[in-house]
Amino acid sequence: MVGFAGFFYFLLIFISLVLVLRFLSKTSLLQIFIKSWQSLIDRFHVYQFYKIPQFNGHFQENQLYRKISLYLNSLPSIEDSDFTNLFSGSKSNDIFFQHDANHSVVHDSFFRAKVSWTNQKSSQPDGIRSFVLKINKSDKRRVFRQYFQHILTVADEVEQRNKEIKLYMNLSTENERWRSVPFTHPATFDTVVMDAELKNKVRSDLENFLKSKQYYHRLGRVWKRSFLLYGPSGTGKTSFIAAMARFLSYDVYDIDMSKVYDDSDLKMLLLQTTSKSLIVVEDLDRFLMDKSTAVSLSGLLNFMDGIVSSCGEERVLVFTMNGKDQVDQLVMRPGRVDVHIQFPLCDFSAFKSLASTYLGVKEHKLFPQVEEIFQSGGSLSPAEIGEIMISNRSSPSRALKSVISALQTNAESVKGVNKVAQALTNSSSGRSVDESGEPGAVFCRESVHTVREFRKLYGLLRLGSRRKEEPLDSSSADKDALNPQFTALADLFV
């Protein structure tokens, strides 16, 4: 009896001490003491711990980790955790809570079972984070499976209710390779300026892809699709990628090849992407021409359709190029690139779509003049024409006149280039063989001589332009007056 009374007395003192310490735990020192004492008690108590790492052994994202994060952020008790992050919502007056990965302990209950969650970072160099569940052993036997089923159900509801496309960017840090931000690009298939028939074909292709899981599996193929978007800058490739992401409701993984260490690192980045994602590599042609890159051609080909690319499904790969003529055909074959979509400079049909979208103008008296300039060879990118219209949106007539002026300038420069090219062709057409008598030379010595003479002329004109700020006589002024007509053309031969 004495032993039992002593134990009971010790227990009362201990409980009182804990209550007092909790009441006074405003200082960090007391808080550290309480956590240390609680950890000591846990070692002798009837608790069981479960760890849910962010990545599995194959460095793929653990979907359970993501769903637990969604679930915990939806709990009312998160407001009472030790540390909680506050963020603004989509509306200016919205504020929502998010658990702090470094500090917070989140408490939860399920059918009278009390549990707690913490987020820990591995002490290993990989720095992988894990959620740790603390649950009483008796409660574990009673509610464990039901509790996790409840977590998955709530997480799916939250995800469906707050569906938000994210843009992931690869970092050069070792511990964190992907960082996400909300993907807020407003482009849709309705706003993208493109041939209507081609747009409908792409939309139909994506719709069929979403329904084709069993079909791909029956063929023994990985359920993925790859697109090549090629064309000059400003023709709408990036906006089209955004429209694809919106249409599919897929997260976007934008791979910056300059931050990829080597072939193995590129594989790891691919493995850490999720299903239902759009994986983007922009300016692929520039990367392939840069011989100093850390990723080899073999590494890129394996990324596109190698074994590592089969470790995840329901992915769409998108590559962009300014032009594909100089690209190795190994990169372009089906399986690596399934669909090729060209984005040309603006034509009259695209111009009318831009005028309708940017200015609200479907017909205008200046339209015939614009069409005539397009037919004569003038052209600009949709981005250039769109910017002119945005700057003059208060006056559609002024906007169209500005577009006409820009197109005329472009058409004149194109004609000038064509004249010089024709002159060079004519000068070399008199001889089809070089001086050695061997046929088949495209440029004979005479044509090379013509190019050299043109360079000399260009040099004289450039000399005159450098003297613009000095007092000029009439002859030098005449030379400078000719300079703008030849500068752009002569640059082709320097």
Side-chain angles (χ1 to χ4, degrees):
M1 290 295 293
V2 175
F4 178 78
F7 173 78
F8 185 75
Y9 180 75
F10 171 80
L11 183 61
L12 287 176
I13 293 176
F14 171 74
I15 294 174
S16 301
L17 179 61
V18 170
L19 292 175
V20 170
L21 289 176
R22 284 190 176 277
F23 179 74
L24 297 175
S25 60
K26 298 295 184 180
T27 65
S28 58
L29 183 60
L30 287 175
Q31 199 167 17
I32 293 173
F33 175 77
I34 290 174
K35 288 183 178 181
S36 300
W37 182 260
Q38 190 67 44
S39 177
L40 179 62
I41 294 300
D42 288 343
R43 290 179 180 274
F44 300 98
H45 213 283
V46 286
Y47 287 108
Q48 194 159 346
F49 297 85
Y50 292 91
K51 181 181 288 188
I52 299 92
Q54 186 176 7
F55 299 104
N56 63 20
H58 304 291
F59 294 96
Q60 294 173 306
E61 185 182 24
N62 184 356
Q63 294 299 311
L64 182 58
Y65 179 95
R66 183 176 61 83
K67 290 182 180 294
I68 290 173
S69 180
L70 289 171
Y71 172 76
L72 294 180
N73 287 327
S74 70
L75 294 177
S77 60
I78 196 173
E79 300 181 26
D80 302 323
S81 60
D82 298 334
F83 290 86
T84 305
N85 295 320
L86 297 178
F87 293 95
S88 60
S90 56
K91 298 179 180 179
S92 59
N93 58 344
D94 284 348
I95 296 177
F96 64 92
F97 298 85
Q98 189 176 81
H99 64 88
D100 189 282
N102 296 314
H103 301 95
S104 65
V105 177
V106 180
H107 299 280
D108 191 21
S109 63
F110 183 75
F111 288 134
R112 300 191 307 277
K114 303 292 184 181
V115 301
S116 65
W117 291 92
T118 56
N119 193 293
Q120 298 178 356
K121 185 176 181 180
S122 171
S123 58
Q124 300 299 318
D126 56 22
I128 294 177
R129 289 195 167 276
S130 301
F131 280 114
V132 178
L133 169 65
K134 173 186 169 184
I135 184 171
N136 190 290
K137 289 184 178 180
S138 61
D139 291 332
K140 178 259 178 183
R141 290 189 291 268
R142 182 169 59 91
V143 301
F144 184 80
R145 291 189 178 277
Q146 296 92 321
Y147 179 54
F148 271 89
Q149 188 59 50
H150 169 70
I151 289 174
L152 297 176
T153 301
V154 173
D156 289 341
E157 291 175 355
V158 171
E159 193 170 33
Q160 189 66 30
R161 186 170 62 249
N162 302 324
K163 177 62 178 178
E164 182 181 63
I165 299 176
K166 293 183 179 179
L167 170 63
Y168 288 84
M169 298 164 288
N170 61 304
L171 307 178
S172 55
T173 59
E174 294 183 2
N175 294 336
E176 186 180 9
R177 297 314 315 278
W178 289 109
R179 179 170 296 174
S180 67
V181 295
F183 186 74
T184 57
H185 200 298
T188 65
F189 277 133
D190 292 332
T191 62
V192 167
V193 176
M194 175 185 265
D195 178 74
E197 183 178 356
L198 176 59
K199 188 189 300 187
N200 289 333
K201 285 183 178 179
V202 176
R203 194 199 307 261
S204 177
D205 187 275
L206 293 174
E207 287 176 342
N208 289 333
F209 171 77
L210 291 174
K211 306 171 185 176
S212 299
K213 180 178 181 178
Q214 300 302 325
Y215 176 73
Y216 274 77
H217 286 185
R218 182 164 59 83
L219 297 176
R221 296 186 56 172
V222 180
W223 186 24
K224 66 183 181 68
R225 193 82 167 144
S226 55
F227 291 77
L228 171 64
L229 317 182
Y230 67 98
S233 298
T235 51
K237 298 186 292 294
T238 300
S239 295
F240 190 77
I241 292 172
M244 292 175 71
R246 291 284 177 198
F247 180 78
L248 296 168
S249 292
Y250 280 9
D251 290 333
V252 179
Y253 286 83
D254 185 17
I255 298 182
D256 184 349
M257 298 296 287
S258 67
K259 295 180 180 178
V260 180
Y261 301 133
D262 51 29
D263 294 354
S264 296
D265 187 45
L266 184 60
K267 291 179 182 178
M268 288 300 175
L269 286 172
L270 180 60
L271 287 173
Q272 291 178 10
T273 61
T274 63
S275 61
K276 296 186 177 181
S277 61
L278 199 71
I279 302 170
V280 179
V281 179
E282 296 191 272
D283 298 323
L284 183 60
D285 51 340
R286 294 184 185 179
F287 165 77
L288 292 171
M289 294 176 187
D290 186 359
K291 304 301 182 183
S292 63
T293 56
V295 178
S296 66
L297 176 60
S298 174
L300 176 66
L301 297 181
N302 286 329
F303 167 82
M304 298 175 77
D305 75 335
I307 293 296
V308 69
S309 69
S310 66
C311 296
E313 289 196 305
E314 199 172 358
R315 291 188 175 103
V316 173
L317 279 70
V318 182
F319 306 95
T320 71
M321 298 180 185
N322 285 340
K324 63 176 184 176
D325 295 337
Q326 305 300 320
V327 176
D328 194 323
Q329 292 304 305
L330 286 173
V331 180
M332 313 298 293
R333 72 161 177 79
R336 291 179 180 141
V337 177
D338 302 318
V339 182
H340 297 231
I341 304 176
Q342 184 178 12
F343 286 75
L345 293 173
C346 197
D347 58 11
F348 182 63
S349 176
F351 164 80
K352 290 195 295 183
S353 297
L354 289 171
S356 176
T357 301
Y358 284 78
L359 304 175
V361 175
K362 296 187 180 299
E363 292 293 338
H364 196 277
K365 62 182 180 181
L366 294 175
F367 275 14
Q369 187 176 350
V370 175
E371 184 175 15
E372 182 180 351
I373 299 174
F374 274 118
Q375 292 175 350
S376 67
S379 186
L380 295 171
S381 70
E384 292 171 318
I385 293 179
E387 184 55 37
I388 294 174
M389 291 179 174
I390 289 175
S391 300
N392 298 277
R393 61 185 180 275
S394 60
S395 174
S397 295
R398 185 172 69 244
L400 295 179
K401 289 177 181 178
S402 299
V403 171
I404 290 171
S405 177
L407 285 171
Q408 286 173 335
T409 301
N410 175 267
E412 289 171 2
S413 66
V414 170
K415 287 179 181 178
V417 171
N418 290 337
K419 285 181 180 179
V420 172
Q422 184 63 39
L424 294 176
T425 302
N426 292 338
S427 68
S428 61
S429 61
R431 300 178 64 182
S432 60
V433 297
D434 61 13
E435 293 182 355
S436 66
E438 295 179 1
V442 177
F443 278 94
C444 65
R445 294 180 183 271
E446 191 174 67
S447 65
V448 174
H449 176 73
T450 305
V451 173
R452 287 174 180 168
E453 291 299 319
F454 189 88
R455 284 177 171 170
K456 290 180 181 179
L457 173 61
Y458 174 64
L460 291 174
L461 295 176
R462 289 291 295 270
L463 179 62
S465 66
R466 285 197 295 269
R467 294 175 178 169
K468 280 185 178 181
E469 296 182 358
E470 302 176 4
L472 302 175
D473 57 21
S474 59
S475 61
S476 62
D478 290 340
K479 289 178 181 178
D480 283 346
L482 292 173
N483 187 53
Q485 301 175 22
F486 288 90
T487 300
L489 305 179
D491 283 338
L492 298 172
F493 303 95
V494 176

